[in-house]
Amino acid sequence: MSEKIERHREGAIIKDDLPEKMEVEINEVNTSGDYKESPVYIYYTWCKKCGICVEFCPTHCLGSKPDGSPFVEHPEKCIHCETCDRLCPDFAITGAKR
Amino acid sequence: MAKIPQKRIHKYLRHNKKFPHVWCPGCSNGIVLGAIIRAIDELKIERDDIAMVSGIGCSSRMPVYVDFNTLHSLHGRAIPFATGIKFFKPHMKVIVVTGDGDSTAIGGNHFIHAARRNIDITVVIVNNNIYGMTGGQYSPCTPHDDVATTMPYGNIDNTFDICKLAIGAGASFVGRTTAYHAIEAQQMIKKAVSHNGFSVVEVVSACPVIYGRLNKKGGAPEMMTEMKENSITLKGIDKLPADKKEGKIIRGIFIDEKRPEFNDKYQQLVDHLKEKK
Ligand SMILES: Cc1ncc(C[n+]2csc(CCOP(=O)(O)OP(=O)(O)O)c2C)c(N)n1
Ligand code: SF4
Ligand code: SF4
Ligand code: SF4
């Protein structure tokens, strides 16, 4: 790899881990239980509360909080279709199967 | 602090950039960028073999956020920059992301001539029907009668059909989809990137904050519902009665042809002339 590319890479390290910024909040609905059991993860620090994921979730698994941000209302309904994942303009939610 | 799973997309983002990104809530630009990243991820192309080039505009900010070779160039001039890259590094996959104003107004000439040349570049046009970044002036793609800050009483101009324009100019791959149809967009971009020749993918998009407000279209979910309900596939449109066809967004691949590509022809010429010597 040329020096230039390496220098460029330094500024954009591809981490296998989560970037620090996204570790701030975990899915609030699961604070009572184990968050690992949540089918969907929402990165609240990135979410702009546009409502797209809530509107287009085919199973109505997601609900809307009073401030407009989404939360997992019915975890058992999620079919991991990734609709929320694909339609979120802010890369702030993932419904992928793990 | 607890670690939560990352999305596939996150590994392609530049983590030293500020997130959340600059786009307004619900803006389709993020969805289109997601579709492009997913397409590239599925094609398994090396990050270093991709050049993402853009002009100026909201949509043209996409390359800033992704870890490919990127070039954020001048308003309307993304295609000339991309042509330079493709010509110098023919093995690279060159993707241009551009707005409707960027590609059909100020950059219209570059667009049609690159299509005529059939150079292997993929152009993803985010058609949000307006100049988003500069506050809502009308673009060549603003629908007739719709309001823009420079057409406060409704647009009296006619509208460009980007796909017809591209086909007419000679592009060898042309498709249209919408931001709501994200899977379709992803598949179409995948095909377009793999295609050897000038390929155009028009993604009908929502600009809820400028265009949506000016035209009272509601928020992003409402605008995307409209895309869902008001669009129809190429197959479906034939079955519709003529009076219902009007105003529909037609989705699908209009043209996908193998034609001699510019770089290939150039190389052939070079080889031919060398042989002669
Ligand atoms: C040569 C030049 N002329 C005008 C501008 C101002 N300008 C910046 S972005 C823009 C319009 C962008 O509209 P579009 O391409 O539709 O992208 P969008 O913001 O809607 O995604 C204009 C006119 C500029 N930056 N440079
Ligand atoms: S993955 Fe599908 S079912 Fe699950 S929350 Fe997202 S949209 Fe709803
Ligand atoms: S689609 Fe994304 S940004 Fe919009 S409300 Fe849902 S998680 Fe938040
Ligand atoms: S002005 Fe429109 S196109 Fe630009 S970021 Fe906002 S919603 Fe998106």
Side-chain angles (χ1 to χ4, degrees):
Chain A
M1 228 190 292
S2 78
E3 202 191 322
K4 239 186 193 165
I5 295 177
E6 248 160 16
R7 224 181 309 129
H8 156 78
R9 281 278 198 221
E10 254 170 52
I13 309 159
I14 302 121
K15 294 178 188 164
D16 290 327
D17 285 347
L18 197 72
E20 277 170 34
K21 272 184 198 153
M22 288 195 295
E23 288 180 24
V24 183
E25 268 179 85
I26 54 167
N27 206 335
E28 282 170 25
V29 77
N30 293 297
T31 41
S32 55
D34 187 355
Y35 73 91
K36 277 189 181 141
E37 271 157 30
S38 173
V40 183
Y41 287 107
I42 302 161
Y43 311 107
Y44 284 106
T45 37
W46 286 23
C47 169
K48 290 188 188 143
K49 306 170 185 162
C50 66
I52 291 176
C53 54
V54 182
E55 174 82 20
F56 295 111
C57 170
T59 59
H60 307 288
C61 157
L62 302 169
S64 204
K65 290 196 229 171
D67 71 345
S69 57
F71 72 103
V72 188
E73 197 173 8
H74 307 287
E76 73 288 352
K77 282 192 182 170
C78 179
I79 51 169
H80 299 290
C81 65
E82 291 192 55
T83 302
C84 53
D85 208 311
R86 286 169 203 281
L87 293 187
C88 172
D90 282 272
F91 319 121
I93 184 167
T94 175
K97 203 162 195 159
R98 295 179 303 273
Chain B
M1 203 166 288
K3 289 205 170 176
I4 50 176
Q6 227 174 324
K7 278 166 63 125
R8 184 154 49 132
I9 282 179
H10 290 152
K11 76 172 197 218
Y12 288 90
L13 300 180
R14 285 185 173 146
H15 296 154
N16 59 340
K17 292 286 166 190
K18 200 165 162 251
F19 281 97
H21 52 53
V22 291
W23 297 312
C24 310
C27 173
S28 297
N29 285 335
I31 304 174
V32 179
L33 179 59
I36 295 174
I37 292 176
R38 284 194 170 88
I40 290 170
D41 186 73
E42 277 183 12
L43 287 170
K44 297 196 169 56
I45 306 171
E46 269 291 312
R47 255 173 270 225
D48 290 336
D49 290 339
I50 293 194
M52 198 187 245
V53 188
S54 72
I56 299 291
C58 294
S59 41
S60 295
R61 248 194 104 70
M62 279 183 205
V64 172
Y65 294 113
V66 283
D67 184 28
F68 303 127
N69 297 292
T70 58
L71 186 56
H72 194 181
S73 71
L74 307 173
H75 191 34
R77 316 294 175 216
I79 291 174
F81 280 87
T83 303
I85 295 172
K86 186 69 195 178
F87 202 37
F88 193 64
K89 299 241 179 220
H91 73 279
M92 265 196 170
K93 293 282 182 197
V94 183
I95 302 170
V96 171
V97 278
T98 170
D100 48 320
D102 200 58
S103 58
T104 62
I106 189 167
N109 241 306
H110 300 303
F111 180 65
I112 54 174
H113 290 288
R116 183 172 61 86
R117 188 176 251 173
N118 196 31
I119 185 164
D120 182 20
I121 293 174
T122 303
V123 183
V124 179
I125 302 181
V126 181
N127 181 3
N128 56 11
N129 308 113
I130 208 150
Y131 283 8
M133 181 173 254
T134 41
Q137 296 80 1
Y138 77 106
S139 88
C141 297
T142 306
H144 191 71
D145 283 342
D146 272 8
V147 175
T149 52
T150 44
M151 279 287 184
Y153 305 108
N155 185 11
I156 53 171
D157 270 348
N158 298 319
T159 313
F160 256 151
D161 182 325
I162 293 178
C163 290
K164 281 188 184 157
L165 178 70
I167 295 168
S172 50
F173 182 104
V174 178
R176 182 192 287 123
T177 180
T178 81
Y180 170 78
H181 301 88
I183 301 180
E184 190 181 77
Q186 179 186 334
Q187 299 306 336
M188 210 178 271
I189 292 166
K190 219 170 129 182
K191 278 190 193 146
V193 172
S194 314
H195 178 82
N196 186 25
F198 194 75
S199 43
V200 179
V201 177
E202 176 192 355
V203 188
V204 176
S205 299
C207 165
V209 170
I210 305 278
Y211 178 77
R213 266 188 208 159
L214 283 170
N215 291 288
K216 303 191 174 56
K217 297 261 180 194
E222 287 79 11
M223 289 180 85
M224 288 176 69
T225 307
E226 197 185 318
M227 286 175 201
K228 176 178 157 190
E229 283 165 3
N230 201 26
S231 71
I232 188 156
T233 56
L234 260 175
K235 277 183 200 145
I237 191 87
D238 292 337
K239 291 177 199 141
L240 275 191
D243 56 320
K244 285 199 178 150
K245 281 183 188 175
E246 208 166 309
K248 289 267 184 221
I249 303 166
I250 306 171
R251 298 180 351 248
I253 295 168
F254 298 95
I255 192 166
D256 182 2
E257 283 179 9
K258 242 191 195 154
R259 289 200 213 133
E261 195 266 336
F262 177 74
N263 270 316
D264 294 346
K265 283 193 284 184
Y266 189 82
Q267 194 55 48
Q268 274 167 14
L269 180 65
V270 171
D271 295 344
H272 176 68
L273 292 177
K274 266 188 190 158
E275 261 171 39
K276 258 183 149 181
K277 258 189 183 174

